mmCIF file of all heavy atoms in Angstrom:
data_model
loop_
_atom_site.group_PDB
_atom_site.id
_atom_site.type_symbol
_atom_site.label_atom_id
_atom_site.label_comp_id
_atom_site.label_asym_id
_atom_site.label_seq_id
_atom_site.Cartn_x
_atom_site.Cartn_y
_atom_site.Cartn_z
ATOM 1 N N PHE A 1 182.331 68.632 49.632
ATOM 2 C CA PHE A 1 181.960 69.377 48.589
ATOM 3 C C PHE A 1 181.790 70.878 48.950
ATOM 4 O O PHE A 1 180.878 71.161 49.855
ATOM 5 C CB PHE A 1 180.751 68.919 47.924
ATOM 6 C CG PHE A 1 180.848 67.621 47.195
ATOM 7 C CD1 PHE A 1 180.875 66.359 47.841
ATOM 8 C CD2 PHE A 1 180.981 67.593 45.811
ATOM 9 C CE1 PHE A 1 181.071 65.160 47.188
ATOM 10 C CE2 PHE A 1 181.220 66.435 45.073
ATOM 11 C CZ PHE A 1 181.225 65.201 45.784
ATOM 12 N N SER A 2 182.501 71.742 48.381
ATOM 13 C CA SER A 2 182.295 73.263 48.611
ATOM 14 C C SER A 2 181.090 73.842 47.952
ATOM 15 O O SER A 2 180.568 74.906 48.293
ATOM 16 C CB SER A 2 183.644 73.940 48.200
ATOM 17 O OG SER A 2 183.767 73.830 46.809
ATOM 18 N N GLU A 3 180.607 73.104 46.850
ATOM 19 C CA GLU A 3 179.418 73.441 46.138
ATOM 20 C C GLU A 3 178.804 72.145 45.627
ATOM 21 O O GLU A 3 179.466 71.139 45.601
ATOM 22 C CB GLU A 3 179.659 74.507 45.040
ATOM 23 C CG GLU A 3 180.627 73.999 43.977
ATOM 24 C CD GLU A 3 180.837 75.105 42.851
ATOM 25 O OE1 GLU A 3 179.881 75.540 42.345
ATOM 26 O OE2 GLU A 3 181.938 75.385 42.522
ATOM 27 N N GLY A 4 177.486 72.192 45.356
ATOM 28 C CA GLY A 4 176.857 70.995 44.932
ATOM 29 C C GLY A 4 175.938 71.149 43.748
ATOM 30 O O GLY A 4 175.694 72.297 43.298
ATOM 31 N N ARG A 5 175.492 70.069 43.232
ATOM 32 C CA ARG A 5 174.499 70.014 42.154
ATOM 33 C C ARG A 5 173.514 68.884 42.468
ATOM 34 O O ARG A 5 173.828 67.756 42.687
ATOM 35 C CB ARG A 5 175.108 69.703 40.776
ATOM 36 C CG ARG A 5 176.227 70.685 40.309
ATOM 37 C CD ARG A 5 175.663 72.053 39.988
ATOM 38 N NE ARG A 5 176.746 72.899 39.476
ATOM 39 C CZ ARG A 5 177.542 73.667 40.182
ATOM 40 N NH1 ARG A 5 177.371 73.683 41.527
ATOM 41 N NH2 ARG A 5 178.461 74.434 39.652
ATOM 42 N N PRO A 6 172.179 69.222 42.512
ATOM 43 C CA PRO A 6 171.214 68.144 42.670
ATOM 44 C C PRO A 6 171.327 67.170 41.539
ATOM 45 O O PRO A 6 171.504 67.534 40.400
ATOM 46 C CB PRO A 6 169.883 68.798 42.649
ATOM 47 C CG PRO A 6 170.167 70.242 42.969
ATOM 48 C CD PRO A 6 171.553 70.478 42.442
ATOM 49 N N LEU A 7 171.289 65.857 41.896
ATOM 50 C CA LEU A 7 171.624 64.781 40.892
ATOM 51 C C LEU A 7 170.738 63.553 41.137
ATOM 52 O O LEU A 7 170.649 63.124 42.226
ATOM 53 C CB LEU A 7 173.113 64.448 40.938
ATOM 54 C CG LEU A 7 173.615 63.286 39.990
ATOM 55 C CD1 LEU A 7 173.519 63.723 38.564
ATOM 56 C CD2 LEU A 7 174.971 62.926 40.324
ATOM 57 N N PHE A 8 170.184 62.945 40.075
ATOM 58 C CA PHE A 8 169.366 61.703 40.204
ATOM 59 C C PHE A 8 170.037 60.813 39.121
ATOM 60 O O PHE A 8 170.276 61.199 37.977
ATOM 61 C CB PHE A 8 167.988 61.874 39.975
ATOM 62 C CG PHE A 8 167.203 60.559 39.930
ATOM 63 C CD1 PHE A 8 167.033 59.848 40.990
ATOM 64 C CD2 PHE A 8 166.715 60.053 38.661
ATOM 65 C CE1 PHE A 8 166.344 58.536 40.925
ATOM 66 C CE2 PHE A 8 166.113 58.918 38.569
ATOM 67 C CZ PHE A 8 165.861 58.109 39.746
ATOM 68 N N ALA A 9 170.291 59.544 39.520
ATOM 69 C CA ALA A 9 170.904 58.589 38.639
ATOM 70 C C ALA A 9 170.272 57.146 38.843
ATOM 71 O O ALA A 9 169.849 56.862 39.933
ATOM 72 C CB ALA A 9 172.343 58.526 38.781
ATOM 73 N N ARG A 10 170.252 56.382 37.822
ATOM 74 C CA ARG A 10 169.772 54.946 37.912
ATOM 75 C C ARG A 10 170.536 54.079 36.887
ATOM 76 O O ARG A 10 170.981 54.611 35.749
ATOM 77 C CB ARG A 10 168.318 54.870 37.731
ATOM 78 C CG ARG A 10 167.791 55.324 36.308
ATOM 79 C CD ARG A 10 166.322 55.307 36.330
ATOM 80 N NE ARG A 10 165.781 55.648 35.071
ATOM 81 C CZ ARG A 10 165.404 54.886 34.136
ATOM 82 N NH1 ARG A 10 165.461 53.589 34.296
ATOM 83 N NH2 ARG A 10 164.914 55.409 32.945
ATOM 84 N N SER A 11 170.717 52.864 37.204
ATOM 85 C CA SER A 11 171.220 52.015 36.262
ATOM 86 C C SER A 11 170.164 51.542 35.395
ATOM 87 O O SER A 11 168.921 51.629 35.589
ATOM 88 C CB SER A 11 171.901 50.794 36.887
ATOM 89 O OG SER A 11 170.901 50.086 37.671
ATOM 90 N N ASN A 12 170.454 50.774 34.208
ATOM 91 C CA ASN A 12 169.411 50.416 33.303
ATOM 92 C C ASN A 12 168.641 49.127 33.685
ATOM 93 O O ASN A 12 167.673 48.833 33.203
ATOM 94 C CB ASN A 12 170.012 50.050 31.880
ATOM 95 C CG ASN A 12 171.150 49.052 31.966
ATOM 96 O OD1 ASN A 12 171.411 48.506 32.987
ATOM 97 N ND2 ASN A 12 171.894 48.903 30.790
ATOM 98 N N ASP A 13 169.086 48.543 34.909
ATOM 99 C CA ASP A 13 168.358 47.350 35.429
ATOM 100 C C ASP A 13 167.769 47.713 36.748
ATOM 101 O O ASP A 13 167.401 46.835 37.552
ATOM 102 C CB ASP A 13 169.220 46.181 35.542
ATOM 103 C CG ASP A 13 170.506 46.286 36.337
ATOM 104 O OD1 ASP A 13 170.734 47.497 36.802
ATOM 105 O OD2 ASP A 13 171.151 45.373 36.634
ATOM 106 N N SER A 14 167.777 48.949 37.120
ATOM 107 C CA SER A 14 167.241 49.354 38.469
ATOM 108 C C SER A 14 165.675 49.271 38.387
ATOM 109 O O SER A 14 165.049 49.281 37.424
ATOM 110 C CB SER A 14 167.646 50.833 38.844
ATOM 111 O OG SER A 14 167.204 51.744 37.912
ATOM 112 N N ASN A 15 165.108 49.192 39.554
ATOM 113 C CA ASN A 15 163.609 49.131 39.708
ATOM 114 C C ASN A 15 163.097 50.555 39.771
ATOM 115 O O ASN A 15 162.871 51.073 40.810
ATOM 116 C CB ASN A 15 163.185 48.280 40.908
ATOM 117 C CG ASN A 15 161.726 47.999 40.906
ATOM 118 O OD1 ASN A 15 161.001 48.091 39.821
ATOM 119 N ND2 ASN A 15 161.212 47.523 42.083
ATOM 120 N N PHE A 16 162.808 51.147 38.625
ATOM 121 C CA PHE A 16 162.440 52.591 38.551
ATOM 122 C C PHE A 16 160.953 52.732 38.753
ATOM 123 O O PHE A 16 160.225 52.774 37.808
ATOM 124 C CB PHE A 16 162.923 53.133 37.237
ATOM 125 C CG PHE A 16 162.816 54.617 37.097
ATOM 126 C CD1 PHE A 16 162.934 55.442 38.260
ATOM 127 C CD2 PHE A 16 162.505 55.271 35.846
ATOM 128 C CE1 PHE A 16 162.791 56.835 38.135
ATOM 129 C CE2 PHE A 16 162.395 56.579 35.770
ATOM 130 C CZ PHE A 16 162.521 57.383 36.937
ATOM 131 N N THR A 17 160.509 52.867 40.039
ATOM 132 C CA THR A 17 159.154 53.061 40.308
ATOM 133 C C THR A 17 158.982 54.389 41.126
ATOM 134 O O THR A 17 159.965 54.888 41.700
ATOM 135 C CB THR A 17 158.557 51.925 41.147
ATOM 136 O OG1 THR A 17 159.254 51.910 42.478
ATOM 137 C CG2 THR A 17 158.818 50.685 40.471
ATOM 138 N N LEU A 18 157.682 54.835 41.115
ATOM 139 C CA LEU A 18 157.530 56.087 42.041
ATOM 140 C C LEU A 18 157.779 55.856 43.427
ATOM 141 O O LEU A 18 158.533 56.738 44.074
ATOM 142 C CB LEU A 18 156.092 56.618 41.795
ATOM 143 C CG LEU A 18 155.726 57.962 42.423
ATOM 144 C CD1 LEU A 18 156.652 59.080 41.980
ATOM 145 C CD2 LEU A 18 154.320 58.369 42.095
ATOM 146 N N PRO A 19 157.355 54.793 44.051
ATOM 147 C CA PRO A 19 157.688 54.567 45.505
ATOM 148 C C PRO A 19 159.217 54.501 45.683
ATOM 149 O O PRO A 19 159.708 55.248 46.690
ATOM 150 C CB PRO A 19 157.187 53.208 45.833
ATOM 151 C CG PRO A 19 155.884 53.179 44.900
ATOM 152 C CD PRO A 19 156.401 53.753 43.670
ATOM 153 N N ASN A 20 159.930 53.975 44.858
ATOM 154 C CA ASN A 20 161.482 53.832 44.904
ATOM 155 C C ASN A 20 162.085 55.195 44.725
ATOM 156 O O ASN A 20 163.064 55.639 45.468
ATOM 157 C CB ASN A 20 162.104 52.927 43.986
ATOM 158 C CG ASN A 20 161.940 51.460 44.416
ATOM 159 O OD1 ASN A 20 161.729 51.184 45.679
ATOM 160 N ND2 ASN A 20 162.188 50.486 43.502
ATOM 161 N N PHE A 21 161.517 56.009 43.820
ATOM 162 C CA PHE A 21 161.998 57.387 43.592
ATOM 163 C C PHE A 21 161.797 58.209 44.734
ATOM 164 O O PHE A 21 162.787 58.991 45.137
ATOM 165 C CB PHE A 21 161.285 57.980 42.445
ATOM 166 C CG PHE A 21 161.629 59.401 41.948
ATOM 167 C CD1 PHE A 21 162.781 59.541 41.212
ATOM 168 C CD2 PHE A 21 160.963 60.467 42.416
ATOM 169 C CE1 PHE A 21 163.287 60.777 40.820
ATOM 170 C CE2 PHE A 21 161.330 61.721 41.984
ATOM 171 C CZ PHE A 21 162.396 61.853 41.245
ATOM 172 N N ILE A 22 160.641 58.152 45.438
ATOM 173 C CA ILE A 22 160.522 58.952 46.605
ATOM 174 C C ILE A 22 161.313 58.501 47.762
ATOM 175 O O ILE A 22 161.941 59.338 48.459
ATOM 176 C CB ILE A 22 158.976 58.831 47.023
ATOM 177 C CG1 ILE A 22 158.091 59.448 45.999
ATOM 178 C CG2 ILE A 22 158.756 59.581 48.427
ATOM 179 C CD1 ILE A 22 158.178 60.903 45.615
ATOM 180 N N ARG A 23 161.382 57.276 47.991
ATOM 181 C CA ARG A 23 162.230 56.678 49.148
ATOM 182 C C ARG A 23 163.681 57.089 48.950
ATOM 183 O O ARG A 23 164.413 57.343 49.833
ATOM 184 C CB ARG A 23 162.090 55.233 49.096
ATOM 185 C CG ARG A 23 162.668 54.518 50.418
ATOM 186 C CD ARG A 23 162.537 52.972 50.374
ATOM 187 N NE ARG A 23 163.059 52.355 51.461
ATOM 188 C CZ ARG A 23 162.398 51.973 52.584
ATOM 189 N NH1 ARG A 23 161.112 52.484 52.779
ATOM 190 N NH2 ARG A 23 162.952 51.257 53.609
ATOM 191 N N THR A 24 164.157 57.042 47.589
ATOM 192 C CA THR A 24 165.510 57.398 47.306
ATOM 193 C C THR A 24 165.837 58.800 47.807
ATOM 194 O O THR A 24 166.875 59.112 48.376
ATOM 195 C CB THR A 24 165.765 57.419 45.778
ATOM 196 O OG1 THR A 24 165.705 55.928 45.372
ATOM 197 C CG2 THR A 24 167.170 57.990 45.416
ATOM 198 N N HIS A 25 164.907 59.778 47.545
ATOM 199 C CA HIS A 25 165.109 61.171 47.924
ATOM 200 C C HIS A 25 165.009 61.378 49.504
ATOM 201 O O HIS A 25 165.721 62.360 50.039
ATOM 202 C CB HIS A 25 164.206 62.064 47.192
ATOM 203 C CG HIS A 25 164.698 62.230 45.732
ATOM 204 N ND1 HIS A 25 164.395 61.297 44.737
ATOM 205 C CD2 HIS A 25 165.546 63.190 45.210
ATOM 206 C CE1 HIS A 25 164.878 61.803 43.593
ATOM 207 N NE2 HIS A 25 165.600 62.910 43.837
ATOM 208 N N LEU A 26 164.253 60.513 50.086
ATOM 209 C CA LEU A 26 164.195 60.594 51.579
ATOM 210 C C LEU A 26 165.521 59.964 52.139
ATOM 211 O O LEU A 26 166.114 60.581 53.093
ATOM 212 C CB LEU A 26 162.971 59.816 52.127
ATOM 213 C CG LEU A 26 161.598 60.571 51.879
ATOM 214 C CD1 LEU A 26 160.512 59.588 52.309
ATOM 215 C CD2 LEU A 26 161.509 61.851 52.595
ATOM 216 N N PHE A 27 165.921 58.967 51.614
ATOM 217 C CA PHE A 27 167.231 58.263 52.047
ATOM 218 C C PHE A 27 168.348 59.092 51.866
ATOM 219 O O PHE A 27 169.182 59.379 52.794
ATOM 220 C CB PHE A 27 167.395 56.886 51.442
ATOM 221 C CG PHE A 27 166.764 55.759 52.061
ATOM 222 C CD1 PHE A 27 165.935 55.942 53.150
ATOM 223 C CD2 PHE A 27 167.192 54.491 51.574
ATOM 224 C CE1 PHE A 27 165.325 54.836 53.832
ATOM 225 C CE2 PHE A 27 166.613 53.298 52.322
ATOM 226 C CZ PHE A 27 165.704 53.538 53.387
ATOM 227 N N THR A 28 168.505 59.716 50.713
ATOM 228 C CA THR A 28 169.723 60.530 50.422
ATOM 229 C C THR A 28 169.666 61.789 51.231
ATOM 230 O O THR A 28 170.810 62.307 51.476
ATOM 231 C CB THR A 28 169.842 60.939 48.873
ATOM 232 O OG1 THR A 28 171.101 61.187 48.612
ATOM 233 C CG2 THR A 28 168.896 61.961 48.520
ATOM 234 N N ALA A 29 168.516 62.366 51.698
ATOM 235 C CA ALA A 29 168.495 63.487 52.538
ATOM 236 C C ALA A 29 169.202 63.394 53.831
ATOM 237 O O ALA A 29 169.591 64.257 54.530
ATOM 238 C CB ALA A 29 167.071 63.957 52.730
ATOM 239 N N LEU A 30 169.380 61.960 54.168
ATOM 240 C CA LEU A 30 169.975 61.651 55.485
ATOM 241 C C LEU A 30 171.352 61.034 55.425
ATOM 242 O O LEU A 30 171.876 60.797 56.510
ATOM 243 C CB LEU A 30 169.040 60.774 56.329
ATOM 244 C CG LEU A 30 167.585 61.277 56.488
ATOM 245 C CD1 LEU A 30 166.849 60.232 57.280
ATOM 246 C CD2 LEU A 30 167.558 62.579 57.233
ATOM 247 N N CYS A 31 171.896 60.782 54.343
ATOM 248 C CA CYS A 31 173.144 60.141 54.146
ATOM 249 C C CYS A 31 174.354 60.881 54.661
ATOM 250 O O CYS A 31 175.283 60.346 55.339
ATOM 251 C CB CYS A 31 173.379 59.653 52.770
ATOM 252 S SG CYS A 31 172.497 58.241 52.207
ATOM 253 N N ALA A 32 174.426 62.186 54.400
ATOM 254 C CA ALA A 32 175.471 62.981 54.878
ATOM 255 C C ALA A 32 175.519 62.976 56.518
ATOM 256 O O ALA A 32 176.422 62.930 57.114
ATOM 257 C CB ALA A 32 175.558 64.322 54.327
ATOM 258 N N LEU A 33 174.239 63.131 57.018
ATOM 259 C CA LEU A 33 174.120 63.091 58.403
ATOM 260 C C LEU A 33 174.523 61.805 59.021
ATOM 261 O O LEU A 33 175.270 61.804 60.019
ATOM 262 C CB LEU A 33 172.602 63.323 58.777
ATOM 263 C CG LEU A 33 172.264 63.196 60.240
ATOM 264 C CD1 LEU A 33 172.758 64.346 61.050
ATOM 265 C CD2 LEU A 33 170.703 62.945 60.419
ATOM 266 N N LYS A 34 174.173 60.653 58.352
ATOM 267 C CA LYS A 34 174.576 59.301 58.804
ATOM 268 C C LYS A 34 176.126 59.265 58.792
ATOM 269 O O LYS A 34 176.580 58.533 59.771
ATOM 270 C CB LYS A 34 174.044 58.314 57.877
ATOM 271 C CG LYS A 34 174.442 56.908 58.125
ATOM 272 C CD LYS A 34 173.867 56.351 59.427
ATOM 273 C CE LYS A 34 174.141 54.851 59.491
ATOM 274 N NZ LYS A 34 173.595 54.303 60.792
ATOM 275 N N THR A 35 176.818 59.914 58.016
ATOM 276 C CA THR A 35 178.228 59.830 58.034
ATOM 277 C C THR A 35 178.824 60.444 59.357
ATOM 278 O O THR A 35 179.771 59.779 59.914
ATOM 279 C CB THR A 35 178.855 60.721 56.871
ATOM 280 O OG1 THR A 35 178.373 60.245 55.575
ATOM 281 C CG2 THR A 35 180.387 60.696 56.843
ATOM 282 N N GLY A 36 178.239 61.494 59.811
ATOM 283 C CA GLY A 36 178.707 62.031 61.157
ATOM 284 C C GLY A 36 178.148 61.195 62.285
ATOM 285 O O GLY A 36 178.988 60.953 63.236
ATOM 286 N N LEU A 37 176.958 60.712 62.211
ATOM 287 C CA LEU A 37 176.435 59.877 63.359
ATOM 288 C C LEU A 37 177.241 58.577 63.546
ATOM 289 O O LEU A 37 177.394 58.119 64.668
ATOM 290 C CB LEU A 37 174.942 59.450 63.074
ATOM 291 C CG LEU A 37 174.008 60.619 63.371
ATOM 292 C CD1 LEU A 37 172.588 60.210 63.044
ATOM 293 C CD2 LEU A 37 174.054 61.016 64.890
ATOM 294 N N ASN A 38 177.796 57.993 62.402
ATOM 295 C CA ASN A 38 178.620 56.784 62.551
ATOM 296 C C ASN A 38 179.874 57.045 63.428
ATOM 297 O O ASN A 38 180.287 56.159 64.213
ATOM 298 C CB ASN A 38 178.962 56.274 61.222
ATOM 299 C CG ASN A 38 177.882 55.569 60.479
ATOM 300 O OD1 ASN A 38 176.835 55.205 61.109
ATOM 301 N ND2 ASN A 38 178.128 55.252 59.305
ATOM 302 N N ILE A 39 180.353 58.224 63.282
ATOM 303 C CA ILE A 39 181.485 58.542 64.139
ATOM 304 C C ILE A 39 181.148 58.608 65.580
ATOM 305 O O ILE A 39 181.842 58.058 66.466
ATOM 306 C CB ILE A 39 182.080 60.039 63.620
ATOM 307 C CG1 ILE A 39 182.699 59.787 62.307
ATOM 308 C CG2 ILE A 39 183.162 60.428 64.637
ATOM 309 C CD1 ILE A 39 183.117 61.212 61.672
ATOM 310 N N LEU A 40 180.045 59.260 65.939
ATOM 311 C CA LEU A 40 179.658 59.364 67.313
ATOM 312 C C LEU A 40 179.299 58.084 67.936
ATOM 313 O O LEU A 40 179.692 57.719 69.010
ATOM 314 C CB LEU A 40 178.434 60.419 67.461
ATOM 315 C CG LEU A 40 178.766 61.938 67.287
ATOM 316 C CD1 LEU A 40 177.491 62.624 67.214
ATOM 317 C CD2 LEU A 40 179.716 62.373 68.393
ATOM 318 N N ILE A 41 178.373 57.338 67.220
ATOM 319 C CA ILE A 41 177.825 56.163 67.829
ATOM 320 C C ILE A 41 178.751 54.920 67.624
ATOM 321 O O ILE A 41 178.953 54.133 68.604
ATOM 322 C CB ILE A 41 176.417 55.847 67.177
ATOM 323 C CG1 ILE A 41 175.458 57.008 67.561
ATOM 324 C CG2 ILE A 41 175.895 54.570 67.690
ATOM 325 C CD1 ILE A 41 174.147 56.975 66.907
ATOM 326 N N GLU A 42 179.273 54.759 66.499
ATOM 327 C CA GLU A 42 180.108 53.486 66.250
ATOM 328 C C GLU A 42 181.601 53.709 66.729
ATOM 329 O O GLU A 42 182.191 52.833 67.337
ATOM 330 C CB GLU A 42 180.053 53.185 64.776
ATOM 331 C CG GLU A 42 178.731 52.686 64.331
ATOM 332 C CD GLU A 42 178.656 52.324 62.840
ATOM 333 O OE1 GLU A 42 179.747 52.186 62.265
ATOM 334 O OE2 GLU A 42 177.566 52.011 62.248
ATOM 335 N N ASP A 43 182.181 54.868 66.353
ATOM 336 C CA ASP A 43 183.638 55.121 66.743
ATOM 337 C C ASP A 43 183.759 55.509 68.162
ATOM 338 O O ASP A 43 184.642 55.068 68.863
ATOM 339 C CB ASP A 43 184.170 56.129 65.704
ATOM 340 C CG ASP A 43 184.254 55.654 64.257
ATOM 341 O OD1 ASP A 43 183.946 54.459 64.013
ATOM 342 O OD2 ASP A 43 184.507 56.474 63.476
ATOM 343 N N GLU A 44 182.973 56.458 68.579
ATOM 344 C CA GLU A 44 183.176 57.097 69.893
ATOM 345 C C GLU A 44 182.300 56.392 70.899
ATOM 346 O O GLU A 44 182.332 56.790 72.121
ATOM 347 C CB GLU A 44 182.880 58.544 69.879
ATOM 348 C CG GLU A 44 183.993 59.345 69.188
ATOM 349 C CD GLU A 44 185.193 59.531 70.011
ATOM 350 O OE1 GLU A 44 185.075 59.242 71.219
ATOM 351 O OE2 GLU A 44 186.173 60.062 69.451
ATOM 352 N N LYS A 45 181.442 55.484 70.526
ATOM 353 C CA LYS A 45 180.599 54.685 71.426
ATOM 354 C C LYS A 45 179.686 55.544 72.372
ATOM 355 O O LYS A 45 179.352 55.247 73.460
ATOM 356 C CB LYS A 45 181.437 53.744 72.420
ATOM 357 C CG LYS A 45 182.497 52.929 71.653
ATOM 358 C CD LYS A 45 181.764 52.052 70.568
ATOM 359 C CE LYS A 45 182.823 51.126 69.892
ATOM 360 N NZ LYS A 45 182.234 50.293 68.783
#
């Protein structure tokens, strides 16, 4: 992505709680990083 937009989404049957909301934003903060780490640790050993 050359530019971005902050985005939050949920399905109608998701468990929409404050703890899950907070955890979601902590998890997503690391997902792009995880994409690169997978290359180093899993692919390149």
